[in-house]
Amino acid sequence: MPHFPMDSPDSVRSLPARRSVLGAMAATAASPTLLGLSSPASAAPVAQPRALPGGGDLGPNVIVFDPSTSGIQAKLDEVFRQQESAQFGTGRYALLFKPGTYNGLNAQLGFYTSIAGLGLSPDDTAINGDVTVDAGWFNGNATQNFWRSAENLALTPVSGTNRWAVAQAAPFRRMHVRGGLNLAPTGYGWASGGYIADSRIDGSVGPYSQQQWYTRDSSVGGWANAVWNMVFSGVQGAPAQSFPNPPYTTLDTTPVSREKPFLYLNGSEYRVFLPERRTNARGTTWGSGTPRGTSLPLTQFYVARPGVTAATLNAALTQGLHLLLTPGIYHLDQPIQVDRAGTVVLGLGYATLIPDNGVTALRTADVDGVRLAGFLIDAGPVNSSTLLEVGPAGASASHSANPTTVQDVFIRIGGAGAGKATTSMVINSRHTIVDHTWVWRADHGTGVGWETNRADYGIRVNGDDVLATGLFVEHFNKYDVQWYGQRGRTIFFQNEKAYDAPNQAAIQNGNVKGYAAYKVADSVTTHEGWGLGSYCYYNVDPTIVQHNGFAAPNTPGVKFHDLLVVSLGGQGQYEHVVNETGAPTSGTSTVPSTVVSYP
């Protein structure tokens, strides 16, 4: 375990290492309510009776409050005590607040806990109080504050500033903070996040010790500082482009985006809202009134509970139902197969899919408008060739008008027990949008070791015209990202190479020292990336040399903007940033080597 001196807020630019290694028949479905868009074909009424019911109770781990509920704070505290340090536990919770005003609350969020409002707009559900993530459980170190989320609430923080000191897989979506937002833990200890989207922070955002962050299609009153890699796209109030000093990468708009589906209440009826696709987006979707999109009643969803079989989930999909996965752990002996255009698979409270016997957890057909959102895939002990496949091999249909979206879908190999997968996520369908994912081969927990949780590849993109916004991929035995499709784009990438490589030979890639974190295939002629970072921490053998963080064909159509590599405390080194370009890292000073533009 590395030991580094703690930094004060005045010296956060030199912040060192990132981790301390640290049953009844259902009625025929109603048509969707139209809110500014045509009804999708997938939402058409189903004429025949269904063998499985739609709708129903959300289960014991979805806790719903309204302003008249007694003991709200006590319940919040109870869940937090259980989940605060349960990093690899089995508890899963969704805390849902009906529209109205709540006073004097401090919702502290631990692992696998999601908090969300049930209005159409964040301002429909107002908390005069805080939604807090801090790092007291880990001695002030926030680098392992994973797997928790906040969504669709308006906060008026008691002190004027809300604390959200998170690491990976902890989205802050569709939030209105009537004040400031502090992204660092108490004491300004180590922090390594993070992601904000479709949110408005009236005051300033203070990242302080956060090493990297991505903010998309939002509004901020200001931004205080940067450490290594702060990326903004479509953010009103974002700082100007200035990488590498300070390291701000700022795009005026996001080329294509479509916000994550969310559960809400229309009177007493639960529905799922499906936001519309936007191009060249800037600012929030909800700031000027009712958001645009379509709405589906819960009766069009099979409300799944832990213990249900994959065969039942697939039967529900075959009937024309969508899937709502309530909080808990689901073991799968066959893949969930999504074949119908416009299907929604939405998880609550970090619902977790574990593929048994080496199967793939979920596959989609090459169809329009599938939405996958809000769940975790945890690799099983028998090697899976893949864990998530978007489209079959050879998929070629255009989905430019209605892409598939993969949002807050997280993948883990090891940590909660031995798991293995050859390639974690494969994107074959064209125009897919991967909007915030953390694909992680565990570096700590149980079932961790170079061969114990073997996972050679993180994400492989075969489809053309794929866009990634907020890509976190870490610790794979070989390539973390491989990109074979044409016209791919990535806005923000965060990576660490595998800590546990036993020696140089274990990572040798032919004549090349190590596998690049982000590899664009030699056949690709057009590709572009903005704000991409790779870090190494070869603590088993600190003499390991990594040739580069990024590898790509040297052609005018393949472009990168604002790249960095970092050696954490001198545990291993990079020779270059991209291809043969960029200065080597050296020593133990943990100073990034940067390339502003390539080629």
Side-chain angles (χ1 to χ4, degrees), residues 371-414:
R371 304 183 194 226
L372 309 177
F375 56 89
L376 171 65
I377 300 175
D378 206 352
V382 178
N383 185 74
S384 294
S385 60
T386 59
L387 294 172
L388 174 65
E389 295 180 16
V390 179
S396 61
S398 174
H399 306 292
S400 59
N402 192 8
T404 286
T405 45
V406 181
Q407 300 176 284
D408 301 348
V409 173
F410 309 117
I411 294 179
R412 178 174 69 196
I413 304 96

Side-chain angles (χ1 to χ4, degrees), residues 213-269:
W213 201 275
Y214 175 51
T215 307
R216 178 183 63 71
D217 299 354
S218 293
S219 172
V220 299
W223 195 273
N225 72 290
V227 177
W228 292 338
N229 189 30
M230 299 287 162
V231 180
F232 309 83
S233 68
V235 179
Q236 297 165 339
Q241 169 72 32
S242 59
F243 187 92
N245 187 29
Y248 294 137
T249 298
T250 303
L251 287 73
D252 189 58
T253 62
T254 304
V256 187
S257 60
R258 188 173 67 191
E259 299 303 329
K260 175 180 170 286
F262 62 92
L263 191 68
Y264 77 103
L265 277 171
N266 180 26
S268 61
E269 178 196 24

Side-chain angles (χ1 to χ4, degrees), residues 22-343:
L22 344 176
M25 303 294 288
T28 299
S31 297
T33 298
L34 186 64
L35 294 175
L37 277 183
S38 298
S39 172
S42 63
V46 177
Q48 69 274 18
R50 292 172 174 152
L52 288 167
D57 187 84
L58 297 177
N61 291 338
V62 176
I63 303 169
V64 182
F65 305 103
D66 66 45
S68 66
T69 302
S70 62
I72 297 177
Q73 186 65 55
K75 189 62 180 180
L76 295 173
D77 293 345
E78 176 190 340
V79 173
F80 179 64
R81 282 192 300 268
Q82 178 180 321
Q83 298 301 115
E84 180 182 11
S85 59
Q87 181 171 177
F88 299 110
T90 58
R92 304 286 188 273
Y93 290 93
L95 310 174
L96 305 182
F97 287 75
K98 294 182 180 181
T101 300
Y102 302 78
N103 294 311
L105 297 181
N106 181 18
Q108 299 181 81
L109 299 188
F111 287 97
Y112 314 107
T113 305
S114 297
I115 189 170
L118 287 169
L120 260 181
S121 165
D123 290 335
D124 293 340
T125 310
I127 294 179
N128 292 318
D130 296 77
V131 172
T132 302
V133 177
D134 208 341
W137 75 279
F138 202 44
N139 301 314
N141 179 346
T143 62
Q144 293 183 22
N145 281 349
F146 314 134
W147 304 306
R148 63 202 75 196
S149 66
E151 185 174 356
N152 205 30
L153 294 166
L155 307 178
T156 303
V158 170
S159 70
T161 301
N162 189 77
R163 187 182 300 278
W164 186 255
V166 299
Q168 288 80 3
F172 196 80
R173 284 186 182 270
R174 203 176 165 74
M175 295 288 287
H176 183 189
V177 181
R178 296 166 174 161
L181 187 64
N182 184 340
L183 303 179
T186 300
Y188 302 96
W190 304 327
S192 184
Y195 175 91
I196 293 171
D198 199 25
S199 293
R200 174 180 169 183
I201 293 88
D202 293 345
S204 184
V205 179
Y208 304 114
S209 54
Q210 284 285 356
Q211 293 164 346
Q212 70 279 314
W213 201 275
Y214 175 51
T215 307
R216 178 183 63 71
D217 299 354
S218 293
S219 172
V220 299
W223 195 273
N225 72 290
V227 177
W228 292 338
N229 189 30
M230 299 287 162
V231 180
F232 309 83
S233 68
V235 179
Q236 297 165 339
Q241 169 72 32
S242 59
F243 187 92
N245 187 29
Y248 294 137
T249 298
T250 303
L251 287 73
D252 189 58
T253 62
T254 304
V256 187
S257 60
R258 188 173 67 191
E259 299 303 329
K260 175 180 170 286
F262 62 92
L263 191 68
Y264 77 103
L265 277 171
N266 180 26
S268 61
E269 178 196 24
Y270 283 106
R271 303 183 71 91
V272 173
F273 192 81
L274 309 178
E276 74 170 6
R277 170 182 166 272
R278 299 200 291 170
T279 58
N280 298 317
R282 181 171 171 82
T284 68
T285 63
W286 49 268
S288 58
T290 302
R292 294 179 62 83
T294 58
S295 173
L296 298 174
L298 197 62
T299 52
Q300 289 193 13
F301 285 79
Y302 179 73
V303 179
R305 301 275 196 95
V308 69
T309 66
T312 299
L313 296 173
N314 283 327
L317 290 168
T318 299
Q319 290 174 199
L321 291 167
H322 307 275
L323 298 182
L324 184 72
L325 305 174
T326 65
I329 296 174
Y330 298 74
H331 282 268
L332 307 173
D333 61 357
Q334 60 180 274
I336 298 172
Q337 182 66 48
V338 178
D339 290 330
R340 191 179 72 257
T343 298

